Amino acid sequence: MTQAEIKLCSLLLQEHFGEIVEKIGVHLIRTGSQPLRVIAHDTGTSLDQVKKALCVLIQHNLVIYQVHKRGVVEYEAQCSRVLRILRYPRYIYTAKTLYNDTGELIVEELLLNGKMTMSAVVKKVADRLTETMEDGKTMDYAEVANTFVRLADTHFVQRCPLVPAAENSDAGPPPPAPTLVINEKDMYLVPKLSLIGKGKRRRSSEEDATGEPKAKRPKHTPDNKEPIPDDGIYWQANLDRFHQHFRDQAIVSAVANRMDQTSSEIVRTMLRVSEITTPSSAPFTQPLSSNEIVRSLPVGYNISKQVLDQYLTLLADDPLEFVGKSGDSGGGMYVINLHKVLGSLATATLESVVQERFGSRCARIFRLVLQKKHLEQKQVEDFAMIPAKEAKDMLYKMLSENFISLQEIPKTPDHAPSRTFYLYTVNILSAARMLLHRCYKSIANLIERRQFETKENKRLLEKSQRVEAIIASMQATGAEEAQLQEIEEMITAPERQQLETLKRNVNKLDASEIQVDETIFLLESYIESTVKR
């Protein structure tokens, strides 16, 4: 765990959950697994506050717990899961792209609340969608439930582990902490709910949905409450499935850039057909025959079997080896080599960074060393056709930044410099790790800058919000245009300009965060894939 990652985790926890949760979370990240009382003692926080903070962290899957043999429960922070908070906007946008506004709000609610029952999500989303509709229109619960089922069928949401029924009925003393289990075949099984109803609009605080004033409403006792149909069955967003989708999108985009649109559509079809059957950590997709691929192509692509075979042969013969042939049955069996694809994407990212930081000549040397594996300094000068002095400067510059490494091969055991070969090489894994570390530092800097910009203009932002609230309330009561104009003039022209500048800067910082996170995703996927091999 590097200092850059800890700092980034600290900023994310503080921004989303507040100071106390951040204090407990960062302490667990630094120290590893610890029992409750030790956490309270080391952080100087009251036991009650530590319990509440741990509840929040467990609810959002940021902390896990385990019971030791002596019955002590220890809590451990999931640093990698904390860093996923950066990707929340991307998860939500993906759900919107695939399943419209309903899918977007379902995923947003699950990410904001950590874990929720299906009935609670459906009601909340239906209410939120009804709020945005025109008067007289409402969102049906059944429509939201259908979208939820589609998300579960494609594994974008999954069930949370439960306490087994046997553990609840056991007559003995309860364990210090429950053991949560889930059967893999039940993970995406949606309970049969008859959710009948429509989304409700918010009323004023004095009246409820029926229009009755508060004073006249009968008080409901807890016994009057209807039982929740899916009580105890909680759902969460399946982040691994989202990552699989991002990886597939990157592969399709890479094939489109290298070949053409038809090739990318063939690869997209192969990925789509095997997306549920292929585990997210697998190095290859499930083998598909060309007959299966031609049947699964989108309706708009009227490609004959012969043309498809030519495209598949072209993809299989490509030097990057994105697509491989695994057999001849069924007109030929083809797989996508996911590990090779991730390696190529990580290498392209490194090349791009070298070009941006050091220029095109350095990028030429970097690509040369990548291609030839090992080169002496004289060979680099000759192959790259760059003068000796310049080539030496560029090599040392990249060596000092850890983009390339130097390997010594001695002719004699004494390692005398005159009798030693010095070979330049690129270790893609270590270079990717170094770049990933820099990306974490960059994002932490971007977040700090955004917070500074907002803090500097806090008074102006509060004034702008107040004015907007007054205008909104006046519009609701049917105020005249002249009165609204008068209220708008409370913000002067220089202040309005300052607000525009702030908005532009914050948007730019947000966009930069998302772009850096895309690089982080590619590098993390490559490192994970390589380490597993």
Side-chain angles (χ1 to χ4, degrees):
M1 185 56 51
T2 62
Q3 284 300 315
E5 285 173 280
I6 294 170
K7 184 183 177 183
L8 183 53
C9 286
S10 168
L11 287 165
L12 289 168
L13 287 171
Q14 187 167 13
E15 193 171 27
H16 289 81
F17 303 108
E19 283 184 19
I20 296 170
V21 173
E22 181 261 338
K23 191 178 185 181
I24 305 301
V26 171
H27 175 72
L28 286 174
I29 289 168
R30 287 184 190 279
T31 57
S33 58
Q34 284 199 330
L36 180 67
R37 292 191 181 277
V38 175
I39 298 167
H41 177 266
D42 289 356
T43 57
T45 314
S46 71
L47 211 58
D48 188 45
Q49 283 184 324
V50 173
K51 284 179 184 176
K52 285 176 181 173
L54 287 171
C55 279
V56 170
L57 290 165
I58 291 168
Q59 172 75 8
H60 288 268
N61 302 311
L62 306 177
V63 161
I64 55 168
Y65 60 84
Q66 52 190 6
V67 184
H68 287 273
K69 286 178 184 176
R70 294 182 182 178
V72 178
V73 181
E74 289 198 343
Y75 299 89
E76 187 181 350
Q78 302 285 91
C79 180
S80 60
R81 184 61 185 73
V82 176
L83 294 172
R84 294 294 84 84
I85 295 172
L86 275 174
R87 221 161 278 159
Y88 280 9
R90 206 171 162 198
Y91 299 140
I92 293 164
Y93 180 70
T94 302
K96 183 184 175 73
T97 310
L98 297 173
Y99 299 102
N100 302 325
D101 293 347
T102 313
E104 175 195 9
L105 292 182
I106 289 170
V107 171
E108 187 181 325
E109 285 297 331
L110 288 172
L111 290 172
L112 288 176
N113 295 286
K115 303 177 179 79
M116 286 179 87
T117 60
M118 180 181 167
S119 54
V121 173
V122 167
K123 285 171 185 170
K124 189 88 178 281
V125 169
D127 290 351
R128 284 182 65 182
L129 285 168
T130 303
E131 285 282 326
T132 60
M133 287 178 164
E134 296 169 17
D135 286 341
K137 289 187 178 179
T138 52
M139 174 56 77
D140 205 351
Y141 286 169
E143 203 175 320
V144 180
N146 287 341
T147 307
F148 193 99
V149 170
R150 284 165 61 206
L151 280 162
D153 288 343
T154 48
H155 297 188
F156 282 105
V157 296
Q158 63 183 20
R159 279 193 188 192
C160 302
L162 303 166
V163 179
E167 197 170 308
N168 287 336
S169 59
D170 196 8
T179 307
L180 304 177
V181 292
I182 187 156
N183 195 335
E184 204 166 318
K185 68 175 189 294
D186 295 338
M187 204 176 266
Y188 307 103
L189 186 67
V190 180
K192 287 183 171 60
L193 303 176
S194 55
L195 292 168
I196 301 160
K198 295 180 184 295
K200 296 177 182 68
R201 294 179 191 275
R202 282 188 203 158
R203 300 278 170 159
S204 65
S205 58
E206 290 301 313
E207 296 186 3
D208 69 359
T210 59
E212 278 186 64
K214 266 187 180 177
K216 292 185 183 176
R217 244 184 285 159
K219 285 185 180 176
H220 290 285
T221 58
D223 300 338
N224 291 348
K225 275 190 179 176
E226 290 180 21
I228 301 166
D230 58 341
D231 192 21
I233 302 172
Y234 286 89
W235 292 81
Q236 61 189 2
N238 182 5
L239 303 190
D240 286 341
R241 178 66 186 85
F242 277 101
H243 292 168
Q244 193 179 332
H245 179 76
F246 298 156
R247 182 201 65 198
D248 292 353
Q249 293 294 93
I251 293 169
V252 170
S253 176
V255 172
N257 290 339
R258 185 164 178 81
M259 302 280 196
D260 65 350
Q261 200 59 44
T262 309
S263 302
S264 71
E265 200 56 53
I266 291 166
V267 170
R268 189 198 301 276
T269 303
M270 290 174 73
L271 289 165
R272 193 182 70 244
V273 171
S274 60
E275 66 186 358
I276 303 294
T277 53
T278 305
S280 57
S281 57
F284 296 93
T285 58
Q286 293 293 325
L288 292 170
S289 69
S290 61
N291 293 329
E292 279 181 279
I293 297 167
V294 80
R295 280 197 304 271
S296 306
L297 278 168
V299 183
Y301 277 81
N302 298 319
I303 301 175
S304 66
K305 173 80 167 58
Q306 191 181 356
V307 174
L308 178 74
D309 287 341
Q310 287 173 348
Y311 267 108
L312 287 168
T313 307
L314 194 67
L315 284 162
D317 292 344
D318 189 73
L320 290 180
E321 298 175 11
F322 282 8
V323 175
K325 195 169 184 179
S326 64
D328 294 313
S329 57
M333 301 294 285
Y334 294 90
V335 296
I336 293 173
N337 189 335
L338 299 172
H339 176 70
K340 274 266 170 67
V341 174
L342 291 170
S344 297
L345 290 170
T347 306
T349 303
L350 286 167
E351 284 178 19
S352 172
V353 171
V354 168
Q355 179 143 348
E356 291 300 317
R357 279 180 69 86
F358 308 113
S360 57
R361 285 183 151 199
C362 272
R364 193 197 307 171
I365 291 172
F366 185 79
R367 276 194 289 270
L368 184 67
V369 177
L370 257 177
Q371 191 182 357
K372 302 285 186 185
K373 302 287 190 269
H374 295 89
L375 285 175
E376 286 188 85
Q377 189 172 305
K378 182 76 176 72
Q379 291 174 307
V380 171
E381 295 160 13
D382 294 343
F383 284 132
M385 295 186 288
I386 292 172
K389 188 172 182 296
E390 283 182 39
K392 190 188 291 183
D393 283 350
M394 289 172 187
L395 281 166
Y396 289 171
K397 204 184 287 180
M398 286 191 283
L399 186 65
S400 66
E401 298 271 355
N402 296 322
F403 282 99
I404 61 173
S405 50
L406 195 62
Q407 192 173 340
E408 294 180 11
I409 301 176
K411 294 179 190 173
T412 54
D414 62 351
H415 283 262
S418 58
R419 292 185 295 279
T420 302
F421 292 112
Y422 292 96
L423 301 177
Y424 289 99
T425 184
V426 176
N427 184 337
I428 297 173
L429 187 61
S430 66
R433 284 195 171 121
M434 177 273 299
L435 189 57
L436 183 63
H437 176 72
R438 287 192 174 180
C439 286
Y440 288 139
K441 284 175 87 169
S442 299
I443 288 217
N445 290 344
L446 286 165
I447 291 171
E448 283 186 328
R449 181 70 204 179
R450 176 161 49 75
Q451 289 175 347
F452 171 78
E453 288 278 348
T454 313
K455 194 178 174 183
E456 281 289 291
N457 297 280
K458 190 180 177 184
R459 187 196 59 79
L460 189 58
L461 284 168
E462 284 173 358
K463 183 180 176 181
S464 169
Q465 284 166 358
R466 278 199 307 274
V467 169
E468 282 172 13
I470 293 165
I471 290 170
S473 64
M474 286 177 75
Q475 280 174 337
T477 54
E480 292 175 12
E481 192 63 39
Q483 289 174 305
L484 295 174
Q485 189 72 32
E486 196 177 324
I487 298 296
E488 278 179 9
E489 284 169 6
M490 285 170 67
I491 297 177
T492 60
E495 284 178 333
R496 206 173 291 282
Q497 196 176 345
Q498 199 176 337
L499 276 169
E500 282 297 316
T501 308
L502 173 66
K503 193 177 177 182
R504 195 166 53 247
N505 289 345
V506 169
N507 287 345
K508 207 179 283 183
L509 291 165
D510 283 340
S512 302
E513 271 180 55
I514 291 165
Q515 285 175 339
V516 176
D517 182 60
E518 285 177 19
T519 306
I520 287 174
F521 172 71
L522 282 178
L523 296 172
E524 278 180 344
S525 302
Y526 167 69
I527 291 165
E528 192 182 332
S529 166
T530 310
V531 168
K532 276 182 180 169
R533 288 193 83 189

